[in-house]
Amino acid sequence: MKWGVQVVRGNTHNVGSTSVILQFASGRYLFNCGEGTQRLSFENKTRISKLTAIFLTRVDWDNMGGLPGMLLTLAETGSQNLVVCGGHNLTHAMAAMRHFILRSDMGVGVKELRDGDAAAAFSDENIRVTPVHIYPTGYTVSAHEQGADESDAAAIRRMLLERAFGVHKAPEPTDRKKREPPQPQQKKGYYGQECKEAAIEQVLQKFEQQDEDRTKKRSLSPGHSPKRSSDVFLPLATPTPCALCYIVEGPEVPGKFDSQAARDLGLKPGPQFAQLVRGQTITTADGQTIRPEQCVGPARPSSLVIIIDCPSPAYIDSLTTAHQFVPFLEGTKTAGPQKDQLMMIVHSLGPGVAQDARYKKWAAQFPAHVRHMVSAPEYVPDNNPFQRHLRIHAAMHAISPHTYILPQATDKAELPLHTFLDSKNLVAPKSMMMYDIEPEPKLDESMVTQLLTAEQMLAKVDDVTPPSPHPNDGDDLVVCPIGTGSSVPSTYRNVSSNIVSVKGFGGIVLDCGESTVSQLKRFLGFPRRNHANTRIQQSYTEFLKTLKLLYVSHMHADHHLGAIQLLHEWNQATQMMDPKPRLSVLAPARFWAWLEDFSGVQDLGLDRLDFISCSDIRLIDPTAKIPIKENQKYRTAVTKLKSDLGLVDILTCGVIHCPWAYGLSLTHYTGWKLVYSGDTRPCANLVTLGRAGDKPPTVLLHEATLPDYLHVDAVAKRHSTVSEAVAMALGMGAENLLLTHFSQRCLDLPRWTTANIEAVKVARYGYVASASTSVGSSVDDVEDSATELDVDDDDDIDASAGVDFGHVNDLETYGQDVAEQTDAPNAALNAVLGDLKIAS
């Protein structure tokens, strides 16, 4: 049977986990699913729909941050009965996802491989997986971490898990029928309403009140029969530092069939040969009984693979003294035949482990024939795996270098491999690298592509003018889209995330989709500052230490799955500061419930977070230009937030997308105003928010999910088209419009028409563009007023430092009515792209 280990990605300074796939003809087994795993599978065209099981070496966001998004995508493909295996708290972590995942016919099974549990193993027709638990030095394993968990709390967790993902059913081994995708679940409540703004607004307020009430008093047990799983509190859990290593045993290798021996026994090639190969005894026509062992050689013991996760040097003593590994070591009294079966070790190592003398001494004791894959930040170059996006980004940088900042990357490792071990069987992981285990051990790099840096790409282009120096004092306001795609990540766009840098005050994150942290590390630089970024002159760590606000517009997964990693790393970066800073979190109430639940798995520093519910600073009176004063409960937190960022006002409003979806407005004492739409249809509330305080937005950051020709889809999915976003900017009198949240199926530049802009109509205002005459430009003045929509140099405000596909779209530059002005930029872009062709 042919099988092997394929690398998804290695452990670098940018990514804190190693992911590999064990591939068999009848199944695939993924080890670790950190943020960006799904996007990387799209980049490399790796099929994830055939996954049988996912194994986590640690139940933390480094190793499971890509799992929620992966599960949502697999559900859409019809995948069922996937198994997720991991250590203590895995069921708790999965049940916590009920706040934003409901796929009750997917049948996800969760298997906690707990320390001291005799049944803590996984096996099927292809592999048997045995976990090895390791802990940091000085940690004492508590009683509740030992053995199978049969407590009432565990029963509640399993109940909530089944409500979110359905009941797992083991597939029949002989069932080879094509699985039919599950029927879409019927949408109820808010989603069942016709998309009329007045009706939706009433339903939105109803849902808000219900959620606030439920957040204050949720059921403590399933016996209360709540209507929704979110209404049940997860029992409290405590984070554990346990890491799992895995010993993976493949299938036994059948003996070789001796066709000549079969002929000597009077058999002819055909069905009888096949029966003997399958291990069946046959009877010939003359009554002779022939057993398989007469024609088939002895079976060979199965091959083994070990996957090690050692997060830090603190785990080395526990790892190197684990009795499960002793039989594989040379020179030990208990060494047995298993050491000859071991073919490969995947070393997933945190910083400092690979150079620790204790670890190197232990690794050197494995047999000489074993292949060592060393996945550690010191040995894996921190390059950018998303080459298709990088190619276009580099081309845009060549045209507008101060707008499109080159991300940080390197193609060189910090140390050569020979400093780890003196062995010829060392290899550093590369995406798509394959190591065949059976039928013959062999390293295959035929699918590995060369990863170039942006600088290497640009070096191939003729006549690229180096950028002129940018003022070193920085900009007063920088609005930077980090991810501009909608729904799921793609090869060209990551999902929603934006950062705002307020000079002299600190940073803001507006929505935080999966892989936001990874994008930020490349954009700002980690562990060293990205000197190509002259707009935000901070490293990633420096940005974290001055971060003041995390805002989440709504609970769709593509807008908040990166928040756990961001909060975890913020907590780590700031916990030694004196005094310890606090961070404001502005989000729907449901988001705080999710954070509370997951904090039982991983420390997020919740005791230093000031949470403000979006509904408590929401613009209530639709006819007023200012909202009713915020709830007294949050007055202190809001006052602190305003002081932290120099704001004179911070408001939200309900928008038309899903329950608990909001827009945001920030007004600074220096005069600028930023409005962020989140996901929405054109709506009066957002126009009112933009006009509030008699100050039009300096920058409107608005979603433009779909092009005009997909207007019907935009209405159905409650998103905006490009022309609708432009109309909203005109309705508010916005000085700058920054479009984002583009559909992953639309790769062309945003286009609009005057007719489509004039047709946009919302409640209370009627035709938005016509209503704009009192506060800003009308559609008829688009071409004449284009200069008014640019920020003057004296304002020292930058709304264009886009790291992904963020375009500052003033109405003159990209409008379809003045398309002739886009010919030159497009021609320049195409010329650069022509020189940037790379292997794909």
Side-chain angles (χ1 to χ4, degrees), residues 101-402:
I101 295 181
L102 179 61
R103 296 294 185 271
S104 57
D105 45 7
M106 192 177 179
V108 175
V110 172
K111 189 174 182 63
E112 282 196 7
L113 307 175
R114 295 167 63 90
D115 200 353
D117 183 2
F122 172 91
S123 63
D124 66 3
E125 60 181 325
N126 293 320
I127 61 174
R128 175 175 175 80
V129 181
T130 303
V132 179
H133 300 75
I134 62 174
Y135 302 88
T137 300
Y139 182 78
T140 301
V141 183
S142 60
H144 77 275
E145 296 177 73
Q146 294 277 350
D149 189 358
E150 301 297 338
S151 64
D152 291 341
I156 294 175
R157 293 186 181 103
R158 287 192 291 269
M159 178 273 292
L160 293 175
L161 178 71
E162 290 183 357
R163 287 191 181 184
F165 294 102
V167 179
H168 176 73
K169 298 178 181 179
E172 297 292 335
T174 57
D175 185 10
R176 300 296 182 185
K177 294 181 180 179
K178 184 177 180 181
R179 292 176 297 188
E180 295 295 331
Q183 294 297 318
Q185 297 189 26
Q186 183 178 1
K187 295 182 178 180
K188 301 178 181 179
Y190 177 90
Y191 290 98
Q193 300 293 321
E194 185 180 355
C195 191
K196 291 183 178 180
E197 185 175 353
I200 289 297
E201 176 64 18
Q202 294 177 359
V203 176
L204 177 63
Q205 292 185 33
K206 176 181 176 183
F207 269 91
E208 276 184 340
Q209 186 58 48
Q210 290 175 348
D211 200 56
E212 292 298 320
D213 295 341
R214 288 181 175 117
T215 302
K216 295 173 183 175
K217 186 177 180 180
R218 288 189 286 167
S219 172
L220 293 174
S221 71
H224 290 187
S225 300
K227 294 181 179 180
R228 298 185 303 183
S229 59
S230 295
D231 300 338
V232 180
F233 275 118
L234 265 178
L236 294 178
T238 304
T240 175
C242 177
L244 269 64
C245 303
Y246 292 107
I247 302 173
V248 183
E249 182 178 357
E252 185 180 67
V253 181
K256 187 176 180 180
F257 180 70
D258 189 341
S259 59
Q260 187 56 52
R263 289 187 176 91
D264 293 344
L265 291 170
L267 301 179
K268 295 181 180 180
Q272 291 180 327
F273 276 25
Q275 288 177 288
L276 289 171
V277 170
R278 290 194 296 267
Q280 299 174 357
T281 300
I282 63 173
T283 303
T284 63
D286 58 3
Q288 181 184 4
T289 299
I290 299 176
R291 298 181 303 276
E293 57 266 28
Q294 293 178 263
C295 305
V296 181
R300 180 161 55 84
S302 54
S303 296
L304 298 169
V305 172
I306 292 178
I307 296 175
I308 292 172
D309 183 7
C310 190
S312 75
Y315 289 78
I316 292 178
D317 287 342
S318 177
L319 172 65
T320 57
T321 57
H323 67 88
Q324 294 94 331
F325 295 122
V326 174
F328 300 101
L329 304 179
E330 297 277 19
T332 58
K333 295 181 180 180
T334 56
Q338 290 173 296
K339 64 184 178 64
D340 297 322
Q341 299 169 239
L342 180 61
M343 294 292 109
M344 183 180 192
I345 300 175
V346 178
H347 302 264
S348 180
L349 311 177
V353 176
Q355 287 301 296
D356 192 291
R358 295 170 297 167
Y359 192 88
K360 294 165 73 172
K361 179 181 178 181
W362 178 73
Q365 296 180 66
F366 287 96
H369 72 271
V370 174
R371 174 74 69 171
H372 295 268
M373 182 175 289
V374 189
S375 182
E378 298 90 341
Y379 297 107
V380 182
D382 201 358
N383 44 32
N384 192 329
F386 304 108
Q387 295 282 286
R388 300 180 189 182
H389 164 262
L390 186 62
R391 172 175 168 262
I392 297 178
H393 188 85
M396 298 301 294
H397 171 83
I399 297 170
S400 182
H402 295 308

Side-chain angles (χ1 to χ4, degrees), residues 30 75 137 175 254 318 333 347 354 427 454 520 530 604 611 638 689:
L30 175 65
T137 300
D175 185 10
S318 177
K333 295 181 180 180
H347 302 264
V427 64
L520 278 174
N530 179 11
L604 304 178
F611 181 74
V638 172
L689 186 71

Side-chain angles (χ1 to χ4, degrees), residues 772-793:
S772 69
T773 53
S774 61
V775 294
S777 305
S778 67
V779 177
D780 294 335
D781 297 329
V782 165
E783 294 184 78
D784 295 333
S785 65
T787 55
E788 298 177 9
L789 295 176
D790 290 328
V791 178
D792 296 332
D793 292 338

Side-chain angles (χ1 to χ4, degrees), residues 756-809:
N756 289 340
I757 294 172
E758 292 177 330
V760 179
K761 185 178 181 181
V762 299
R764 301 196 303 273
Y765 293 98
Y767 293 102
V768 180
S770 299
S772 69
T773 53
S774 61
V775 294
S777 305
S778 67
V779 177
D780 294 335
D781 297 329
V782 165
E783 294 184 78
D784 295 333
S785 65
T787 55
E788 298 177 9
L789 295 176
D790 290 328
V791 178
D792 296 332
D793 292 338
D794 294 338
D795 290 339
D796 201 20
I797 295 175
D798 172 44
S800 62
V803 68
D804 205 41
F805 265 83
H807 304 293
V808 172
N809 295 298

